[in-house]
Amino acid sequence: MRLALRLNPLALIGRAFFGILSTIGRLALFMAESVTHCVRPPFFPMLVARQVIEIGYYSLPVVGLTGIFAGMVLALQSYTGFSRFAAESAIPNVVAISMTRELGPVFAGLMVAGRVGAAMAAEIGTMRVTEQIDALRTLSTNPFKYLVVPRLLAGLISLPILVLVADIVGIMGGYLVAVYKLDFNADAYINNTIDFLEPLDVGSGLVKAAVFGLLIALMGCYHGFHSKGGARGVGTATTNAVVSGAILVLIFNYIITEAFFSR
Amino acid sequence: MNEPTPSPAQKPQKISCRGITKSFGAKRVLAGVDLDIAEGESMVVIGGSGTGKSVTIKCILGLLKHDTGSIKVDGVEVSNLGARERERINTKFGMLFQGGALFDSLPVWENVAFGLMHAQKMKRRLAREKAIEKLAMVGLGADVGRLFPAELSGGMQKRVSLARAIATEPEVIFFDEPTTGLDPIMADVINNLIFETTRKLGATTLSITHDMASVRKIADKVAMIHGGKIIWCGSIKEIDRSGNPFVEQFIHGRADGPIQMQVRRL
Ligand SMILES: Nc1ncnc2c1ncn2[C@@H]1O[C@H](COP(=O)(O)OP(=O)(O)OP(=O)(O)O)[C@@H](O)[C@H]1O
Ligand SMILES: [Mg+2]
């Protein structure tokens, strides 16, 4: 293609538009195919379990660390702000609600998108370019059932558990800073947290988590599955999986928040 | 175009390809491949590098979708099968990939036992015993079974891949360059193994190789592919008096002849 044509802004917009449309189409087909394989035997429960360990268990340290520091900084920041209005007593409440509704799911989602989305895209992408996916098919095993479905289910199962951990650890981080640094009363802090926290706060966070888990796994599998052209293609697939996973987490975070809390 | 070959004594065709074409973008790789393989026959496809030998096999296996033409397995058209029928047809097939394509997340024995456990639903213990038996056939001990593919040498990977291809005792086995990268002695062992699997199990095989020693050992029939077509096909006995200048050049490995390699002379 000639350079002038390639840089033509209209052509650029058109190409991006059609690129996005065809990607959405392919994603929808990929998703539909995965879902039909979710409900048709054979099933691979052992593979789901292995992926839950891979996604859930091994992400605990990262998610725990981000959770605790998020909770700590939340307490510290809201103290510096709220003390101006003598509203320090709202801090336990602010920490708990922010953690469970927003920061827990979003931070866990972003960390997992980086850690797990990349690993999935790299693994499946390598299997694609080294013909292992072709080999699966010649051995009469459907790659969707064997590779994609276990990862999607594991994402759906693991992320809510991770987010629950992040919530608890985050609130604990807030507590530690409030009690040991800002001289709050320990009992009052805990009572305040428990009294104000509603099931919907935690519940909406867990719904977000399940959706994020599915999206992250979907991005990892999709980009891995469609990678081509050796090591470089796998590298591109990995980057795309992480970037699109993270962006989708933020977009769907807004959509779900809107669905739950706007009235 | 599709009428059966006249001679009535002939065995039924296991695989029959008519006019397969396949292009990648503007590049036409297959330009009408016709290939018949009778039941129990060992067909060897020879031809220069990049002439579409691997692509032909992948079209037959349904891994690549050919553009036009017909492919029949046991007389049944398989060109436009749904995923499930394709899976069922593929249980008849075994494939040794040119690059091995071993599952690097599984130990060697599970690679070999994969088809037994998943397609044939064999119990893990039994499948493991079978796998170790097959590994022994390709000259690898039970201790190798516990290693992972990345811990093997290239030649060992090739042999594991061969063991995986024959483990389910399929009706049709495809070998894409089974002896490339092996030492001459092991190459001969593998040739014997292929020869025996064909004769003992009655399997039909389609092999690709560049190695003429291998061709002479395992082939019943030889087909030569050039320019996207089968330009010569005949029994192994006729290969030395094919009268075809392309075949002559290939089997004697001469740089001069009708096949011109795309290289620049110094
Ligand atoms: N997935 C693909 N995308 C684009 N082009 C391809 C693809 N697969 C194969 N080709 C092209 O098709 C041609 C034939 O490839 P093929 O792998 O069949 O060669 P071959 O005959 O097996 O050669 P060799 O003996 O070196 O293995 C090559 O020129 C290759 O560039
Ligand atoms: Mg090849």
Side-chain angles (χ1 to χ4, degrees):
Chain A
M1 213 181 298
R2 292 210 328 274
L3 193 64
L5 191 62
R6 206 181 300 173
L7 295 178
N8 178 341
L10 272 181
L12 222 58
I13 294 170
R15 200 157 336 112
F17 181 69
F18 284 115
I20 289 171
L21 275 191
S22 74
T23 305
I24 291 176
R26 260 179 290 145
L27 251 174
L29 285 179
F30 191 85
M31 185 79 200
E33 175 129 31
S34 311
V35 170
T36 59
H37 286 296
C38 265
V39 294
R40 273 201 315 222
F43 306 112
F44 294 97
M46 282 310 291
L47 292 179
V48 179
R50 192 186 300 169
Q51 286 301 324
V52 168
I53 291 176
E54 200 69 39
I55 301 175
Y57 186 70
Y58 290 126
S59 297
L60 278 175
V62 228
V63 169
L65 273 175
T66 40
I68 197 162
F69 279 103
M72 283 164 70
V73 84
L74 207 53
L76 204 56
Q77 277 289 18
S78 35
Y79 182 77
T80 57
F82 284 21
S83 57
R84 290 185 211 155
F85 314 105
E88 292 96 333
S89 62
I91 288 178
N93 199 4
V94 167
V95 169
I97 287 185
S98 314
M99 261 338 275
T100 53
R101 281 189 182 184
E102 291 295 331
L103 296 187
V106 169
F107 277 166
L110 291 179
M111 293 316 281
V112 172
R115 214 189 78 85
V116 175
M120 280 183 187
E123 187 179 357
I124 296 182
T126 307
M127 291 186 73
R128 163 64 74 200
V129 300
T130 56
E131 299 183 317
Q132 291 179 50
I133 291 182
D134 287 344
L136 270 181
R137 289 172 60 191
T138 64
L139 292 163
S140 293
T141 301
N142 191 301
F144 273 90
K145 284 201 173 72
Y146 189 79
L147 296 174
V148 178
V149 169
R151 284 170 173 77
L152 295 186
L153 289 180
L156 195 68
I157 297 168
S158 316
L159 255 229
I161 301 173
L162 283 173
V163 166
L164 210 53
V165 171
D167 289 353
I168 293 168
V169 170
I171 290 173
M172 196 185 79
Y175 167 87
L176 290 178
V177 169
V179 171
Y180 291 103
K181 193 170 160 58
L182 308 174
D183 293 327
F184 274 63
N185 177 297
D187 291 343
Y189 190 97
I190 290 177
N191 284 335
N192 239 338
T193 304
I194 293 172
D195 286 348
F196 281 102
L197 202 60
E198 283 180 29
L200 187 65
D201 296 329
V202 180
S204 69
L206 296 186
V207 170
K208 284 180 178 179
V211 173
F212 295 169
L214 194 66
L215 287 171
I216 292 165
L218 186 68
M219 286 301 113
C221 293
Y222 174 82
H223 288 290
F225 224 78
H226 292 280
S227 64
K228 46 177 163 288
R232 194 163 156 201
V234 175
T236 315
T238 309
T239 313
N240 288 343
V242 174
V243 171
S244 59
I247 290 175
L248 281 180
V249 162
L250 294 174
I251 293 177
F252 274 80
N253 181 50
Y254 181 80
I255 295 175
I256 298 171
T257 306
E258 170 111 19
F260 266 99
F261 298 109
S262 81
R263 49 182 75 107
Chain B
M1 220 175 168
N2 279 352
E3 69 266 17
T5 6
S7 136
Q10 236 171 14
K11 286 186 195 159
Q13 300 296 346
K14 191 78 186 169
I15 289 176
S16 149
C17 308
R18 282 288 169 279
I20 312 178
T21 63
K22 173 76 190 169
S23 306
F24 293 102
K27 181 171 176 181
R28 179 153 233 207
V29 177
L30 302 181
V33 168
D34 299 324
L35 194 63
D36 286 309
I37 309 168
E39 199 167 330
E41 190 175 70
S42 172
M43 167 71 81
V44 174
V45 175
I46 57 175
S49 184
T51 47
K53 304 183 295 297
S54 300
V55 170
T56 308
I57 285 196
K58 285 180 187 167
C59 286
I60 298 175
L61 279 164
L63 300 175
L64 288 174
K65 179 89 192 67
H66 55 282
D67 301 331
T68 60
S70 119
I71 299 174
K72 288 183 176 168
V73 176
D74 287 328
V76 179
E77 180 65 48
V78 297
S79 296
N80 288 307
L81 287 184
R84 295 182 115 189
E85 289 99 81
R86 186 79 243 181
E87 242 168 69
R88 207 173 42 73
I89 289 279
N90 276 2
T91 56
K92 296 183 182 184
F93 294 155
M95 165 80 179
L96 164 72
F97 284 85
Q98 190 168 2
L102 295 173
F103 305 127
D104 43 27
S105 58
L106 299 177
V108 163
W109 79 265
E110 267 191 70
N111 264 283
V112 178
F114 197 93
L116 297 171
M117 291 195 294
H118 293 295
Q120 299 189 355
K121 310 279 172 229
M122 192 183 274
K123 285 270 176 299
R124 216 177 146 80
R125 281 267 305 278
L126 197 61
R128 186 183 179 127
E129 276 168 29
K130 271 246 181 183
I132 287 173
E133 198 179 290
K134 296 291 174 197
L135 282 173
M137 285 175 77
V138 294
L140 296 171
D143 49 326
V144 176
R146 281 187 294 276
L147 300 177
F148 280 85
E151 298 170 299
L152 305 181
S153 75
M156 288 163 92
Q157 289 183 8
K158 199 110 213 186
R159 286 186 276 158
V160 173
S161 196
L162 177 65
R164 182 175 72 179
I166 61 175
T168 53
E169 300 183 357
E171 295 171 29
V172 187
I173 318 177
F174 300 88
F175 299 107
D176 196 346
E177 308 201 3
T179 55
T180 313
L182 299 180
D183 65 87
I185 301 168
M186 190 44 77
D188 198 50
V189 171
I190 296 300
N191 286 334
N192 283 333
L193 186 71
I194 293 175
F195 184 80
E196 277 165 25
T197 20
T198 330
R199 299 306 180 281
K200 280 201 187 124
L201 307 173
T204 310
T205 58
L206 171 56
S207 318
I208 292 173
T209 182
H210 295 141
D211 172 9
M212 284 315 292
S214 185
V215 175
R216 290 177 201 284
K217 195 122 196 176
I218 65 180
D220 293 327
K221 285 181 87 177
V222 181
M224 168 132 183
I225 186 168
H226 183 75
K229 291 191 171 186
I230 302 289
I231 53 162
W232 185 82
C233 183
S235 92
I236 181 69
K237 296 186 207 87
E238 304 164 33
I239 194 164
D240 287 313
R241 33 192 176 77
S242 63
N244 185 311
F246 291 89
V247 178
E248 299 269 303
Q249 186 191 352
F250 191 88
I251 64 177
H252 296 114
R254 287 192 287 255
D256 298 317
I259 308 173
Q260 284 304 315
M261 292 286 162
Q262 305 282 329
V263 291
R264 196 181 296 163
R265 292 271 150 70
L266 284 178

